[in-house]
């Protein structure tokens, strides 16, 4: 098929899909940010309990939630191939799968949670808050996973502004619920950090409900009639979605869990070092929302172009996204370099914490370049439905190279805690290089396949 857009039109198209995703990603991340900040104003044990609970939940939630990203390239390719009639079945099966996985996560958590927390050697007050915070969050997992399927469907249609608006509405609701439940306002008891977990659960259900209403009644989605039919569970369809989604989910889990493991390994250092590490890592994660959003936009655009057999357009989008990501990383790095003290001061008033956090934030500069290359390529490869090799590369880069190197440098060299940061940077760099090599292979293979057809 002929090329649809000029290069300028492609840039506009990429940006029009990207910026709502970016706003939505930052907004979703901000919920965890406000959970931590507001719990800290309740008490130090509440801050520690929520921070520990989040370090456990984030990689698990992100990893399992990543499975449902599979809906985006599946739906995108169906639409690109003019097979819209199959979309509703795929989405409904995704919801069934999400609810089933939610039950597994809740059941597994109920069995393993106490053992995991006891292994950390936490103070009793912190352990109890972490446990109750996670239990409160567990009630919201079915709603969260359902919303992620619905969001993947909405995004696959390129209507990213809708999911952005859902996130924008949900953030102030979450902050308000935090305020009421953490501090005990308008007649509610003060739950401390546990209130943040209850607030998140209530917010997840609101988000899922809004998405259901939008898909059921908005004219943009009415032609797909997603909820018109009650389909039986199709294990074959689950298998297809898991074939794409599991490697995505595991790759996300591998990437996010290594940061949680490093945070736990940091517990051998003093309190100032631990606090400074959390500050720098939290802000670095916020900056990561930029390449992550570009990655999501590329999954949508590349998936659509591949489905329409416009492989040249798919390649152009992949390099446009990478260039945009690198440019944004340079801007973010410059801001971080100039205002590292001010950034650190947002999190703490202690001079020692601020000084050490500034030191760690310099390492975050190097995070930006590797992430700026790796994340867009991951999104592009998902658009091609090439996910298995990506998962293996993540395992090798982070767990086979980054973590062992960081552990060695932190414990056997004068670098100390900085060794973990250098190890993580090394793992990210290896991941970026290997993913770029994989992208070249996939694109050449696609081009060769088209030539022989």
């Amino acid at each position: 098929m002929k090329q649809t857009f000029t290069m300028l039109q492609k840039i506009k198209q990429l940006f029009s899909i990207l910026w709502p995703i970016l706003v939505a990603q930052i907004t979703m991340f901000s919920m965890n940010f406000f959970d931590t900040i507001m719990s800290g104003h309740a008490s130090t044990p509440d801050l520690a309990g929520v921070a520990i609970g989040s370090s456990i939940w984030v990689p698990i939630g992100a990893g399992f939630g990543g499975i449902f990203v599979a809906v985006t390239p599946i739906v995108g390719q169906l639409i690109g191939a003019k097979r819209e009639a199959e979309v509703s079945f795929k989405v409904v099966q995704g919801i069934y799968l999400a609810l089933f996985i939610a039950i597994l996560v809740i059941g597994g958590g109920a069995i393993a949670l106490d053992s995991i927390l006891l292994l950390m050697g936490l103070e009793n007050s912190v352990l109890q808050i972490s446990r109750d915070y996670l239990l409160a969050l567990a009630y919201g997992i079915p709603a969260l996973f359902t919303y992620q399927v619905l969001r993947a469907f909405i995004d696959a249609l390129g209507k990213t502004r809708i999911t952005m608006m859902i996130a924008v509405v949900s953030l102030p609701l979450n902050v308000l619920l935090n305020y009421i439940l953490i501090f005990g306002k308008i007649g509610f008891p003060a739950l401390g950090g546990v209130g943040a977990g209850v607030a998140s659960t209530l917010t997840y259900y609101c988000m899922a409900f809004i998405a259901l209403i939008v898909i059921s009644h908005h004219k943009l989605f009415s032609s797909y009639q997603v909820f018109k039919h009650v389909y039986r569970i199709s294990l074959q369809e689950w298998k297809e979605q898991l074939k794409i989604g599991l490697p995505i989910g595991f790759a996300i889990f591998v990437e996010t869990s290594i940061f949680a493991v490093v945070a736990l390994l940091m517990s051998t250092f003093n309190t100032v070092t631990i606090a400074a590490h959390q500050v720098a890592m939290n802000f670095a994660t916020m900056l990561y929302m930029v390449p992550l959003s570009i990655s999501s936009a590329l999954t949508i655009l590349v998936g659509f172009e591949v489905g329409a057999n416009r492989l040249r357009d798919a390649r152009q989008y992949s390099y446009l996204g990478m260039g945009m990501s690198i440019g944004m990383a340079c801007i973010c790095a410059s801001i971080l370099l100039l205002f590292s003290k001010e950034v650190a001061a947002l999190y703490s008033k202690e001079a020692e914490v601020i000084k050490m956090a500034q030191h760690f934030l310099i390492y975050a500069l190097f995070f930006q370049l590797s992430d700026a290359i790796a994340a867009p390529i991951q999104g592009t490869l998902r658009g091609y439905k090439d996910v298995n090799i990506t998962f293996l590369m993540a395992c090798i880069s982070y767990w086979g190279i980054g973590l062992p190197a960081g552990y060695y440098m932190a414990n056997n060299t004068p670098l100390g805690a900085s060794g973990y940061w250098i190890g993580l940077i090394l793992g990210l760099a290896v991941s970026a290089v290997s993913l770029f090599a994989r992208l070249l292979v996939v694109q050449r293979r696609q081009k060769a396949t088209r030539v022989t057809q």
Side-chain angles (χ1 to χ4, degrees), residues 95 99 140-151 154 162 165-167 169-170 173 200-218 221 227:
I95 294 172
L99 294 174
I141 292 175
L144 176 62
F145 286 1
T146 298
Y147 170 71
Q148 287 172 329
V149 173
L150 299 177
R151 175 186 173 180
I154 294 170
I162 292 177
M165 291 307 301
I166 294 174
V169 169
S170 299
L173 173 64
S200 293
T201 283
L202 293 173
T203 304
Y204 294 155
Y205 278 98
C206 287
M207 293 169 68
F209 179 74
I210 294 171
L212 284 168
I213 294 298
V214 168
I215 291 172
S216 299
H217 295 90
H218 199 290
F221 308 99
F227 303 116

Side-chain angles (χ1 to χ4, degrees), residues 59-365:
I60 294 173
F64 281 101
I67 293 173
F68 315 120
V69 174
V71 173
T72 298
I74 289 172
V75 171
Q77 290 198 15
L78 285 175
I79 295 171
K82 307 297 183 183
R83 294 161 55 190
E84 290 87 350
E86 301 174 36
V87 169
S88 63
F89 175 74
K90 303 284 187 181
V91 175
V92 171
Q93 293 301 322
I95 294 172
Y96 292 161
L97 179 59
L99 294 174
F100 176 73
I101 291 176
I103 293 170
L104 292 181
V105 173
I106 293 169
I111 295 170
L113 179 58
D114 288 340
S115 299
I116 293 171
L117 291 173
L118 286 171
L119 284 173
M120 295 182 181
L122 304 171
E123 295 179 8
N124 288 335
S125 60
V126 175
L127 187 149
Q128 190 63 45
I129 292 169
S130 293
R131 181 180 184 276
D132 292 345
Y133 169 76
L134 289 169
L135 288 176
L137 272 178
Y139 287 101
I141 292 175
L144 176 62
F145 286 1
T146 298
Y147 170 71
Q148 287 172 329
V149 173
L150 299 177
R151 175 186 173 180
F153 165 59
I154 294 170
D155 286 350
L157 301 184
K159 309 303 180 184
T160 52
R161 294 189 186 188
I162 292 177
T163 51
M164 177 194 73
M165 291 307 301
I166 294 174
V168 167
V169 169
S170 299
L171 178 60
L173 173 64
N174 181 252
V175 172
L176 176 62
L177 290 171
N178 272 347
Y179 178 71
I180 293 171
L181 297 172
I182 292 175
F183 303 110
K185 303 297 181 180
I186 61 173
F188 285 88
L191 300 177
V194 179
V198 178
S200 293
T201 283
L202 293 173
T203 304
Y204 294 155
Y205 278 98
C206 287
M207 293 169 68
F209 179 74
I210 294 171
L212 284 168
I213 294 298
V214 168
I215 291 172
S216 299
H217 295 90
H218 199 290
K219 62 181 181 180
L220 292 172
F221 308 99
S222 59
S223 62
Y224 295 95
Q225 301 179 328
V226 174
F227 303 116
K228 183 178 181 180
H229 304 288
V230 179
Y231 297 102
R232 292 182 178 181
I233 291 175
S234 171
L235 297 180
Q236 182 62 36
E237 179 58 30
W238 285 17
K239 181 180 178 181
E240 180 186 341
Q241 294 196 14
L242 288 171
K243 185 177 179 181
I244 299 171
L246 278 177
I248 295 174
F250 281 136
I252 293 172
F253 175 78
V254 164
E255 183 171 351
T256 54
S257 62
I258 193 171
F259 295 106
V261 169
V262 168
L264 295 176
L265 290 173
M266 282 280 189
S267 63
T268 58
F269 295 93
N270 60 42
T271 304
V272 170
T273 302
I274 296 169
H277 171 79
Q278 291 293 348
V279 168
M281 190 58 71
N282 187 269
F283 193 76
T285 305
M286 176 71 83
L287 294 180
Y288 178 63
M289 296 302 105
V290 175
L292 180 63
S293 300
I294 294 173
S295 174
S296 298
L298 289 176
T299 298
I300 296 166
L301 290 167
V302 172
F304 181 83
E305 298 298 343
V306 171
N309 200 30
R310 292 192 289 263
L311 301 182
R312 180 185 175 188
D313 292 338
R315 286 197 303 274
Q316 289 179 342
Y317 273 124
S318 68
Y319 292 112
L320 277 174
M322 202 183 309
M324 185 180 292
S325 182
I326 293 172
M328 292 294 290
C330 291
I331 294 172
C332 291
S334 299
I335 294 171
L336 186 56
L337 187 63
L338 292 172
F339 300 103
S340 60
K341 184 176 181 179
E342 288 77 6
V343 168
L346 289 173
Y347 293 83
S348 177
K349 295 179 181 179
E350 296 184 26
E352 286 184 275
V353 174
I354 292 173
K355 184 177 180 180
M356 184 163 284
Q358 283 184 265
H359 173 70
F360 287 148
L361 283 168
I362 298 302
Y363 291 113
L365 296 175

